[in-house]
Amino acid sequence: MAKRVLVVEDNELNLKLFCDLLRAHEYAAEPVRDGREALDRARAFAPDLIVMDIQMPYVTGHELIVALKADEGLRDIPVMAVTAYAGRDDEERIRAAGAAAYVSKPISLARFMDAVGALV
């Protein structure tokens, strides 16, 4: 059974890249374009991992991580933040919210897949 990855990303090109890359490595990838839909989709899809952008409109990735970790049914799903934020303080804040991994954009495809593999 393929591991399931929910991908939350508002940029269409990045969303397609991440999903295509995951599918090429035999993961089941489920795209979500808006953080407002992510909690419901996570409950329905039951992912093994959530990959998410941090800088999104409406609900930021940071807010979404906090909401995921507060939800009894979702809190144990590892979260990998993929973001253009690259400052040390940003990474610490994102990890403190509950992200298990942090990958900065532009991504290295190998580093991205290594991080995914380490979490699932």
Side-chain angles (χ1 to χ4, degrees), residues 47-110:
D48 298 292
L49 172 66
I50 299 172
V51 173
M52 74 169 66
D53 186 17
I54 295 299
Q55 190 173 359
M56 295 185 291
Y58 312 114
V59 177
T60 68
H62 183 270
E63 293 166 335
L64 185 54
I65 293 168
V66 170
L68 286 163
K69 296 307 172 182
D71 187 297
E72 189 174 318
L74 302 174
R75 71 172 47 126
D76 293 331
I77 301 169
V79 173
M80 183 171 98
V82 182
T83 182
Y85 290 131
R88 179 171 167 73
D89 292 341
D90 293 319
E91 181 175 358
E92 288 175 7
R93 184 174 58 84
I94 291 163
R95 285 185 180 273
Y102 179 95
V103 176
S104 61
K105 294 177 186 175
I107 66 163
S108 152
L109 301 183

